[in-house]
Protein backbone atom coordinates (compact mmCIF):
# COMPACT_ATOMS: atom_id res chain seq x y z
CA UNK A 1 0.00 0.00 0.00
CA UNK A 2 2.81 2.39 0.92
CA UNK A 3 4.61 1.53 -2.33
CA UNK A 4 1.48 2.34 -4.33
CA UNK A 5 1.11 5.65 -2.54
CA UNK A 6 4.76 6.54 -3.15
CA UNK A 7 4.47 5.55 -6.80
CA UNK A 8 1.36 7.71 -7.18
CA UNK A 9 3.17 10.68 -5.62
CA UNK A 10 6.18 10.24 -7.92
CA UNK A 11 3.97 9.96 -11.01
CA UNK A 12 1.99 13.03 -9.97
CA UNK A 13 5.17 15.03 -9.31
CA UNK A 14 6.71 14.01 -12.64
CA UNK A 15 3.57 14.83 -14.60
CA UNK A 16 3.47 18.23 -12.93
CA UNK A 17 7.09 18.88 -13.92
CA UNK A 18 6.47 18.03 -17.58
CA UNK A 19 3.42 20.30 -17.63
CA UNK A 20 5.45 23.16 -16.18
CA UNK A 21 8.23 22.58 -18.70
CA UNK A 22 5.86 22.59 -21.67
CA UNK A 23 4.08 25.67 -20.31
CA UNK A 24 7.42 27.55 -20.49
CA UNK A 25 7.45 27.25 -24.31
CA UNK A 26 5.30 29.67 -26.27
CA UNK A 27 5.15 28.02 -29.72
CA UNK A 28 4.72 24.42 -30.82
CA UNK A 29 4.71 22.84 -34.26
CA UNK A 30 4.23 19.26 -35.50
CA UNK A 31 6.83 17.61 -37.74
CA UNK A 32 6.99 14.25 -39.48
CA UNK A 33 9.37 12.24 -41.62
CA UNK A 34 8.64 9.23 -43.83
CA UNK A 35 11.00 6.59 -45.22
CA UNK A 36 10.88 3.12 -46.70
CA UNK A 37 13.17 0.09 -46.46
CA UNK A 38 13.35 -3.65 -46.90
CA UNK A 39 12.98 -4.34 -43.16
CA UNK A 40 11.18 -2.51 -40.37
CA UNK A 41 14.23 -1.57 -38.22
CA UNK A 42 15.84 0.20 -41.19
CA UNK A 43 12.61 1.98 -42.12
CA UNK A 44 12.18 3.16 -38.51
CA UNK A 45 15.76 4.46 -38.41
CA UNK A 46 15.45 6.25 -41.76
CA UNK A 47 12.10 7.83 -40.87
CA UNK A 48 13.63 9.11 -37.61
CA UNK A 49 16.49 10.59 -39.68
CA UNK A 50 13.96 12.26 -42.01
CA UNK A 51 12.15 13.67 -38.96
CA UNK A 52 15.45 14.99 -37.55
CA UNK A 53 16.30 16.62 -40.90
CA UNK A 54 12.88 18.32 -41.07
CA UNK A 55 13.21 19.70 -37.53
CA UNK A 56 16.80 20.84 -38.02
CA UNK A 57 15.95 22.50 -41.35
CA UNK A 58 13.00 24.38 -39.82
CA UNK A 59 15.07 25.52 -36.83
CA UNK A 60 17.88 26.76 -39.10
CA UNK A 61 15.58 28.54 -41.57
CA UNK A 62 13.52 30.20 -38.83
CA UNK A 63 16.25 31.13 -36.36
CA UNK A 64 15.08 28.84 -33.56
CA UNK A 65 18.18 28.89 -31.38
CA UNK A 66 16.89 29.01 -27.81
CA UNK A 67 15.78 26.11 -25.66
CA UNK A 68 13.43 23.72 -27.46
CA UNK A 69 11.60 20.56 -26.47
CA UNK A 70 10.75 17.63 -28.75
CA UNK A 71 7.79 15.54 -27.64
CA UNK A 72 6.61 12.32 -29.29
CA UNK A 73 3.29 12.72 -31.08
CA UNK A 74 1.54 10.07 -33.17
CA UNK A 75 1.74 11.05 -36.84
CA UNK A 76 -0.70 10.42 -39.64
CA UNK A 77 0.80 7.96 -42.13
CA UNK A 78 2.26 9.51 -45.28
CA UNK A 79 2.02 6.71 -47.86
CA UNK A 80 3.84 7.11 -51.16
CA UNK A 81 1.40 5.22 -53.41
CA UNK A 82 -1.88 4.99 -51.48
CA UNK A 83 -4.38 7.61 -50.44
CA UNK A 84 -4.87 5.87 -47.07
CA UNK A 85 -3.67 2.84 -45.12
CA UNK A 86 -6.05 0.01 -44.20
CA UNK A 87 -5.75 -1.14 -40.59
CA UNK A 88 -4.63 -4.66 -41.60
CA UNK A 89 -1.52 -3.19 -43.33
CA UNK A 90 -0.03 -1.65 -40.18
CA UNK A 91 3.00 -3.41 -38.68
CA UNK A 92 2.71 -3.25 -34.89
CA UNK A 93 4.10 -2.48 -32.46
CA UNK A 94 4.61 1.26 -32.96
CA UNK A 95 8.05 2.54 -31.92
CA UNK A 96 7.73 5.25 -29.29
CA UNK A 97 10.38 7.24 -27.43
CA UNK A 98 10.22 10.51 -25.51
CA UNK A 99 11.15 12.45 -28.66
CA UNK A 100 9.37 10.59 -31.51
CA UNK A 101 6.44 8.31 -32.34
CA UNK A 102 6.90 5.99 -35.33
CA UNK A 103 4.28 3.85 -37.04
CA UNK A 104 4.91 1.47 -39.93
CA UNK A 105 2.88 -0.36 -42.57
CA UNK A 106 3.30 -2.67 -45.54
CA UNK A 107 4.17 -0.65 -48.62
CA UNK A 108 3.11 -1.08 -52.24
CA UNK A 109 6.60 -1.01 -53.77
CA UNK A 110 8.75 -1.21 -50.62
CA UNK A 111 8.10 -3.94 -48.06
CA UNK A 112 7.98 -1.43 -45.18
CA UNK A 113 7.17 2.29 -44.94
CA UNK A 114 7.32 4.27 -41.68
CA UNK A 115 6.35 7.78 -40.60
CA UNK A 116 7.83 9.34 -37.45
CA UNK A 117 6.26 12.33 -35.71
CA UNK A 118 7.16 14.82 -33.00
CA UNK A 119 6.00 18.14 -31.62
CA UNK A 120 8.68 20.82 -31.34
CA UNK A 121 8.08 23.53 -28.74
CA UNK A 122 10.27 26.59 -28.24
Amino acid sequence: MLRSLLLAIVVLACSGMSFQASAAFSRCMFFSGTADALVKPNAVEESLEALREAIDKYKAENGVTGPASEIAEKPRPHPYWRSEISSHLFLPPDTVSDQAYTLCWKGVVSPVVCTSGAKLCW
Side-chain angles (χ1 to χ4, degrees):
M1 181 70 173
L2 182 59
R3 270 188 157 166
S4 298
L5 180 61
L6 287 173
L7 181 60
I9 291 170
V10 169
V11 168
L12 194 59
C14 289
S15 66
M17 286 188 296
S18 67
F19 174 75
Q20 292 170 353
S22 63
F25 299 108
S26 62
R27 294 187 64 192
C28 292
M29 193 169 186
F30 179 78
F31 291 87
S32 64
T34 299
D36 61 334
L38 295 175
V39 294
K40 185 177 176 180
N42 292 357
V44 169
E45 183 178 328
E46 291 177 24
S47 71
L48 289 169
E49 288 173 10
L51 173 63
R52 168 68 27 226
E53 289 173 13
I55 291 173
D56 290 345
K57 180 180 177 186
Y58 180 85
K59 288 170 71 173
E61 290 177 353
N62 293 282
V64 178
T65 57
S69 173
E70 294 175 29
I71 304 160
E73 189 166 310
K74 188 173 184 174
R76 298 183 80 207
H78 294 283
Y80 295 132
W81 299 99
R82 295 183 173 110
S83 59
E84 61 183 56
I85 308 297
S86 301
S87 61
H88 72 279
L89 295 174
F90 283 100
L91 299 170
D94 295 346
T95 304
V96 183
S97 69
D98 290 340
Q99 293 84 23
Y101 190 116
T102 304
L103 50 91
C104 301
W105 61 92
K106 296 175 187 173
V108 174
V109 175
S110 300
V112 182
V113 182
C114 298
T115 296
S116 296
K119 181 170 61 172
L120 176 69
C121 297
W122 67 99

